[in-house]
Structure formats: C-alpha cells, structure tokens
C-alpha cells in the first residue's frame, strides 16, 4: 500500500521502523512518493491560508523550552492580558480581507480557567460570523471546555504533541505527554476538528522525529491539520542555541508526515521567515498544503504578506477557500486575484 489510493482506509498502526525507513529513503524517491500521495488526496496547487493572533500574550507558567512566552525565561515578550472581543474581531476582519480563510486565536495559558471560556466563546462567535473558519489554541482543556467552544462555533482546536514521547521530558517538565493526549480526546469527543503537530530542530534525533509522526499517525483519528513547525530560536529560551537542523531534513519530515497521514492537511508552520523561497517550494512539493500568513506568528516574525503573495504567484499556487475548495474567480477578493492572476 503506497498511500496513493484515496479509497484505501488510513493506517493507525505505524511501527517506528516503518517510519524511519521512509525517512531513510533516497531524498528524491521520498519526495516523489510524498508528492504522489499529496496529488492523490489534495489539490497540489492549493494552499490553505490561516492567520494567527495572540489573544493573550506571555506570562505563561509552563516551562516549554522552545517558548518565548514562558514567564520564567527572559525573552523580552511583554505579558498582556486577554484582548477585548472587538479588537480581536477587527484583526480577523483584516485577515479575511488579506485572503485568510481561517483565523487562529492563541493564548499563553497552561489552559483556560472556567471564567475565560465565555470571553473566548464570544470571540469565536463573532469571528465565525465573518465567514472565517475558526481555530483556537488555549492549552489543556478542563471539563466541558471543548463542548462550550464547539457550541460557540469553533471549527478547529490546535493542541500539539510537540515532540516524540521519549524526548518530551527533555523539553517540558510542567506537564506530561499523556495530559496532551487527554485534551486531544476531549477535542474529538466534542466533534471539533483537530490541529495537532509538533516542532523539529530542538536537538531531537531522526528516530525522535519519526516517533513524533508515529504518535500523530497512530492517534485514534488523524488530525485534520498537522502543523510542522521549525523551531524559531528565541534569545532567553533554553533552546536559543539549538543546533541547526539540515533544511532537507525538515523537508523529509514534511514528506513523511504527508505519507503517513495522507488525508490530513500538513502545515508548513513556524520558521518560514528563516527559510528561502526555494526551500518553501520544496516543502509544498513534499506535501505541505497550508501556511500561516501575516506579519507575525504569535510573538515572532513571519514573512511579509506581499512576499508570500509573490511566492504564490511565482509557484502558481492559490489559496483555498473556507471548506477546502479552490476559489471561483467571482468570489475572490481583488488582492487574491492580483496575487493569483491564473485564477481570473
Ligand atoms: N499555550 C498553548 C499550548 O502550549 O498548547 C497554546 C499556545 S502555544 C504557543 C502553541 C504552539 O506554538 C506550541 O505547541 C508550539 O508547538 C508552538 N511554538 C511555540 N514556540 C515556538 C517556537 N519558538 N518555535 C516553533 N514553534 C513554537
Ligand atoms: C502551531 O503549531 N504553530 C503556531 C500555532 N500552532 C499556534 C505557533 C507558532 C509560534 C511560534 C513562536 C511565536 O511566534 O511565539
Ligand atoms: Fe505556555 Fe504554550 Fe508557551 Fe508552553 S508553548 S510556555 S504552554 S504558551
């Protein structure tokens, strides 16, 4: 089974050596295989565009070694309280006008308190009313939270496994890998779509990158969205001096994710500002079908929107609309038509 038959059921029984063997394929063979899977299940010229907003920044009590928002590290990120609903909606409106189809709201919490949920629910309701898909990433969820977010109109919940189970304890000490699995279970039980991936370039081995993908692919349901983040090294975090990962190893990670979770949309997530256009093009060929667009991720930089538009134009890529369809010229915003003249 090579994953190119869209009718075949997806697998949830990946063994680590099988995933390592995919990583070990000759680079060109791996890319050819990943692209065949990509084209069999997705439009290889369409890219889903999400925009991120940090709705509550910094001051986080957790100790994730990669994160500029952990209170205990001195990263220069200024803590800010939960934003007002109107300010969030204004940012969502601007994201939609710039061509995003999904708006992702992130909070630097271990998890929300019961009292935070109604305010986040109000944001979700109003962003959804703009015709955008909604995503939230708020940390570990408590009793009833997932259902309340779903009832407000949330489409996706982002909750990353971040790294392989056997490396997790070297990166995060304030929670367990199993805590993340419990929240993922709550997300599925509430009928939310799951956005779940991880970070590479944190000093993990290739076997541990394979272990992360194995943990993702063997979840009871493949996450509908799989963000693969390249570590953004931030001064003041314990990983500020993490060793460079060979960019081609990052492409391999995208390609293997593509093969083991053929129906999921793999996101070329954090780290694009540090990547060349050519490297990003390889990631799209290897099966990345989504990006974050907008000048900022949560607290760190992202490529300029104009640069991304030009990249789409040069690669004949077009943004997916809400629900995953390729847009119709008649419904497209002028900015997108300008960026993608082949759609007119
Ligand atoms: N606090 C919540 C949580 O941790 O689940 C939600 C926000 S948290 C910032 C969302 C994700 O951002 C993390 O799971 C991690 O994958 C990613 N992230 C954070 N800092 C990063 C960095 N420096 N480089 C790449 N990804 C990063
Ligand atoms: C994900 O996997 N990556 C995004 C989103 N989900 C929330 C966050 C990236 C954050 C990069 C560091 C920062 O900007 O603070
Ligand atoms: Fe807090 Fe999330 Fe950053 Fe970890 S990744 S320190 S939980 S904001």
């Amino acid at each position: 089974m090579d994953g190119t038959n869209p009718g075949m059921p997806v697998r949830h029984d990946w063994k680590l050596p099988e995933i390592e063997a995919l990583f070990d394929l000759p680079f060109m063979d791996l890319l050819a295989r990943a692209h065949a899977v990509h084209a069999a299940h997705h439009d290889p010229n369409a890219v889903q565009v999400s925009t991120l907003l940090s709705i509550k920044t910094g001051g986080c009590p957790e100790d994730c070694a990669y994160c500029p928002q952990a209170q205990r590290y001195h990263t220069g990120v200024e803590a800010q309280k939960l934003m007002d609903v109107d300010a969030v909606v204004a940012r969502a409106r601007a994201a939609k006008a710039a061509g995003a189809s999904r708006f992702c709201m992130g909070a630097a919490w271990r998890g929300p308190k019961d009292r935070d949920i109604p305010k986040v629910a109000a944001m979700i309701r109003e962003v959804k009313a703009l015709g955008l898909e909604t995503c939230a990433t708020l940390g570990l969820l408590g009793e009833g939270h997932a259902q309340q977010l779903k009832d407000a109109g949330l489409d996706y919940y982002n909750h990353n496994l971040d790294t392989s189970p056997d490396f997790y304890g070297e990166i995060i000490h304030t929670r367990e890998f199993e805590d993340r699995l419990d929240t993922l279970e709550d997300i599925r039980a509430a009928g939310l779509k799951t956005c779940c991936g991880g970070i590479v370039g944190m000093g993990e081995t290739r076997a541990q990158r394979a272990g992360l993908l194995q943990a993702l692919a063997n979840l009871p349901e493949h996450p509908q969205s799989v963000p693969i983040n390249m570590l953004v090294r931030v001064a003041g975090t314990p990983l500020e001096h993490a060793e460079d990962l060979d960019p081609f190893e990052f492409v391999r990670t995208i390609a293997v994710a593509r093969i083991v979770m053929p129906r999921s949309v793999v996101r070329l997530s954090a780290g694009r500002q540090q990547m060349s256009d050519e490297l990003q093009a390889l990631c799209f060929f290897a099966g990345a079908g989504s990006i974050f667009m907008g000048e900022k991720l949560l607290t760190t930089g992202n490529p300029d929107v104009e640069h991304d538009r030009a990249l789409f134009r040069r690669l004949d890529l077009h943004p997916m609309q809400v629900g995953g369809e390729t847009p119709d010229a008649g419904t497209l915003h002028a900015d997108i038509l300008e960026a993608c003249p082949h759609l007119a």
Side-chain angles (χ1 to χ4, degrees):
M1 184 166 102
D2 66 0
T4 55
N5 180 350
M8 289 292 277
V10 295
R11 285 183 56 186
H12 298 270
D13 61 350
W14 287 94
K15 304 279 178 288
L16 189 63
E18 290 179 289
I19 301 187
E20 289 184 276
L22 290 171
F23 269 95
D24 291 343
L25 282 172
F27 186 75
M28 300 305 161
D29 294 347
L30 174 59
L31 253 61
R33 190 157 157 195
H35 190 76
V37 172
H38 191 45
H41 294 268
H42 306 265
D43 175 351
N45 302 307
V47 175
Q48 191 280 325
V49 175
S50 295
T51 292
L52 262 176
L53 176 67
S54 180
I55 58 170
K56 188 269 167 191
T57 304
C60 184
E62 300 287 280
D63 77 344
C64 313
Y66 46 79
C67 188
Q69 303 200 70
Q71 179 156 39
R72 66 192 72 203
Y73 310 136
H74 300 285
T75 61
V77 169
E78 202 188 307
Q80 284 164 11
K81 61 179 187 34
L82 187 59
M83 285 175 71
D84 285 333
V85 176
D86 289 351
V88 172
V89 175
R91 297 290 290 268
R93 202 173 275 120
K96 186 179 181 199
S101 62
R102 189 177 310 156
F103 192 68
C104 305
M105 293 160 271
W109 285 321
R110 171 179 167 84
K113 305 264 183 295
D114 288 348
R115 64 167 186 273
D116 298 320
I117 296 288
K119 199 162 166 191
V120 177
M123 293 173 190
I124 292 166
R125 256 191 301 275
E126 296 209 21
V127 172
K128 182 84 180 160
L130 298 176
L132 283 160
E133 289 180 324
T134 54
C135 178
T137 182
L138 315 172
L140 299 168
L141 293 178
E143 182 81 32
H145 288 173
Q147 194 57 53
Q148 291 171 63
L149 297 172
K150 168 80 180 163
D151 293 345
L154 190 66
D155 295 305
Y156 289 81
Y157 193 83
N158 166 246
H159 199 64
N160 291 336
L161 290 181
D162 282 324
T163 193
S164 68
D166 66 328
F167 193 56
Y168 201 82
E170 293 187 38
I171 299 295
I172 300 157
H173 311 93
T174 49
R175 56 172 190 259
E176 307 285 328
F177 193 80
E178 284 66 32
D179 299 329
R180 302 295 274 189
L181 295 177
D182 291 346
T183 286
L184 289 169
E185 176 58 39
D186 288 355
I187 295 166
R188 287 190 300 270
L192 289 163
K193 292 183 194 147
T194 307
C195 173
C196 182
I199 311 177
V200 298
M202 299 195 292
E204 74 286 342
T205 61
R206 177 179 276 188
Q208 288 165 332
R209 285 185 283 282
L212 165 66
L213 297 185
Q214 182 193 23
L216 292 168
N218 291 349
L219 286 169
E221 248 180 49
H222 288 178
Q224 285 79 7
S225 163
V226 179
I228 303 293
N229 296 279
M230 178 75 138
L231 174 70
V232 180
R233 288 174 293 207
V234 178
T237 64
L239 290 177
E240 96 170 85
H241 299 300
E243 230 178 87
D244 270 344
L245 182 74
D246 178 354
F248 296 131
E249 185 67 13
F250 183 80
V251 180
R252 280 183 200 265
T253 310
I254 299 256
V256 177
R258 168 70 304 151
I259 294 168
V260 299
M261 293 171 280
R263 294 193 190 138
S264 306
V265 175
V266 177
R267 180 175 300 126
L268 166 54
S269 191
R272 285 197 308 116
Q273 199 174 40
Q274 289 72 33
M275 292 178 196
S276 68
D277 291 344
E278 295 83 348
L279 178 61
Q280 293 184 59
L282 267 183
C283 292
F284 292 128
F285 185 78
S290 168
I291 59 164
F292 285 119
M293 203 183 265
E295 78 279 5
K296 231 184 187 188
L297 291 164
L298 290 172
T299 64
T300 64
N302 201 38
D304 289 344
V305 172
E306 277 315 318
H307 189 95
D308 279 340
R309 289 202 179 129
L311 184 61
F312 273 38
R313 214 165 27 233
R314 291 163 68 209
L315 299 177
D316 306 302
L317 295 172
H318 56 259
M320 247 180 244
Q321 277 198 315
V322 170
E325 290 90 30
T326 293
D328 216 46
T331 64
L332 281 175
H333 191 274
D335 283 351
I336 300 175
L337 275 177
E338 194 202 321
C340 310
H342 58 289
L343 293 176

